[in-house]
């Protein structure tokens, strides 16, 4: 069976889509100022045209399940569920923070990623992701919504091997931050959902469209 995958991300401040077919990836990304619902469907149509794929030819659908913008998460999940139902294809939801870690690996080849994403008020979405010797990410269990002043406890004993990623670091004032690798402001991209989708296809780790759930982290939402 072909592995033609459509990936969608509308979880934070960008809309992005990607098509995987025959080991090639086509992708589109556009900054979105709370216009995810306006932009995402035309982008899906465009990426299908660019990749010369018809909607009915899709074999899998994957999407970013959050944390992030509440409306954005609902949009990508709703579209993914609709396509899964109508095309009768498997569905997969991937953590936005894991997607960001994968993008950091793709761009900077760093295996240890500290992620801090602005979550409104004085809070951030936090995660520590490590790519292990099998090149698989571990760290979803570390994801949490925390107060900025709790970061010191999280990082004071960590070594300089870690790369700081995300816009949340701008809110954190800790004198020893300089020992870590430079902070990179990275937004998730649907292209970086593809490796997770391929792994789950290989392991047949998909759920029914009615079983996918968003990852809100304590049901606290933010808008950017």
């Amino acid at each position: 069976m072909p592995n033609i995958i459509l990936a969608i991300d509308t979880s934070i401040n960008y809309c992005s889509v990607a098509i995987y077919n025959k080991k090639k990836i086509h992708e589109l990304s556009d900054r979105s100022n709370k216009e995810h619902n306006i932009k995402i469907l035309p982008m899906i149509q465009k990426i299908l045209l660019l990749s010369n794929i018809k909607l009915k030819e899709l074999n899998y659908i994957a999407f970013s399940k959050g944390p992030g913008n509440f409306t954005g998460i609902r949009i990508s999940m709703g579209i993914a569920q609709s396509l899964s139902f109508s095309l009768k294809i498997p569905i997969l939801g991937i953590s936005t923070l894991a997607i960001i870690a994968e993008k950091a690996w793709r761009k900077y080849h760093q295996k240890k990623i500290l992620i801090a994403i602005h979550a409104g008020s004085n809070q951030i979405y936090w995660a520590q992701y490590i790519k292990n010797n099998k090149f698989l990410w571990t760290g979803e269990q570390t994801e949490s919504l925390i107060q900025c002043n709790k970061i010191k406890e999280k990082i004071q004993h960590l070594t300089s091997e870690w790369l700081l990623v995300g816009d949340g670091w701008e809110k954190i004032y800790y004198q020893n931050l300089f020992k870590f690798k430079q902070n990179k402001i990275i937004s998730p991209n649907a292209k970086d959902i593809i490796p997770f989708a391929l792994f789950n296809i290989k392991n047949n780790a998909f759920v029914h469209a009615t079983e996918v759930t968003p990852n809100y982290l304590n049901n606290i939402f933010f808008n950017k």
Side-chain angles (χ1 to χ4, degrees), residues 32-212:
S32 179
N33 184 23
K34 302 180 183 180
E35 295 180 335
H36 300 81
N37 60 325
I38 297 172
K39 293 184 176 183
I40 190 62
L41 290 177
M43 289 177 68
I44 291 173
Q45 184 179 33
K46 185 175 181 179
I47 200 70
L48 289 169
L49 290 172
L50 288 174
S51 57
N52 196 29
I53 297 292
K54 296 179 181 178
L55 192 64
K56 65 182 180 181
E57 294 178 308
L58 296 177
N59 304 117
Y60 303 92
I61 179 75
F63 70 99
S64 55
K65 64 180 183 179
N69 179 290
F70 172 66
T71 302
I73 294 169
R74 300 301 301 187
I75 289 169
S76 60
M77 189 173 77
I79 292 172
Q81 285 178 309
S82 297
L83 290 174
S84 178
F85 275 124
S86 60
L87 300 175
K88 296 181 173 58
I89 58 176
I91 188 172
L92 173 68
I94 298 297
S95 165
T96 302
L97 303 182
I99 297 165
I100 291 173
E102 177 64 24
K103 185 175 180 180
W105 162 255
R106 175 169 59 86
K107 291 176 68 68
Y108 305 111
H109 301 288
Q110 299 295 320
K111 291 184 177 181
K112 291 187 174 183
I113 313 295
L114 296 178
I115 304 170
I117 302 297
H118 175 59
S121 185
N122 195 38
Q123 297 177 311
I124 62 169
Y125 292 122
W126 166 264
Q128 296 174 231
Y129 270 91
I130 300 175
K131 187 177 278 287
N132 64 24
N133 292 333
K134 296 181 178 179
F135 285 89
L136 301 177
W137 286 109
T138 61
E140 190 162 3
Q141 76 282 359
T142 71
E143 293 188 3
S144 59
L145 176 69
I146 63 175
Q147 297 291 325
C148 292
N149 59 15
K150 298 295 183 181
I151 290 296
K152 180 179 178 180
E153 301 172 16
K154 296 280 189 180
I155 66 177
Q156 60 184 345
H157 300 301
L158 297 179
T159 68
S160 59
E161 297 176 281
W162 293 85
L163 174 68
L164 308 184
V165 168
D167 61 359
W169 295 104
E170 297 175 347
K171 301 176 63 177
I172 297 165
Y173 303 98
Y174 177 51
Q175 61 181 357
N176 288 329
L177 280 182
F178 68 87
K179 76 176 183 179
F180 297 101
K181 294 178 182 178
Q182 184 179 354
N183 176 31
K184 307 291 184 180
I185 307 299
I186 293 179
S187 295
N189 190 300
K191 180 178 182 178
D192 300 296
I193 296 175
I194 299 299
F196 296 99
L198 290 172
F199 176 80
N200 281 271
I201 290 168
K202 182 179 179 180
N203 291 278
N204 198 30
F206 286 84
V207 297
H208 190 268
T210 58
E211 297 175 315
V212 295

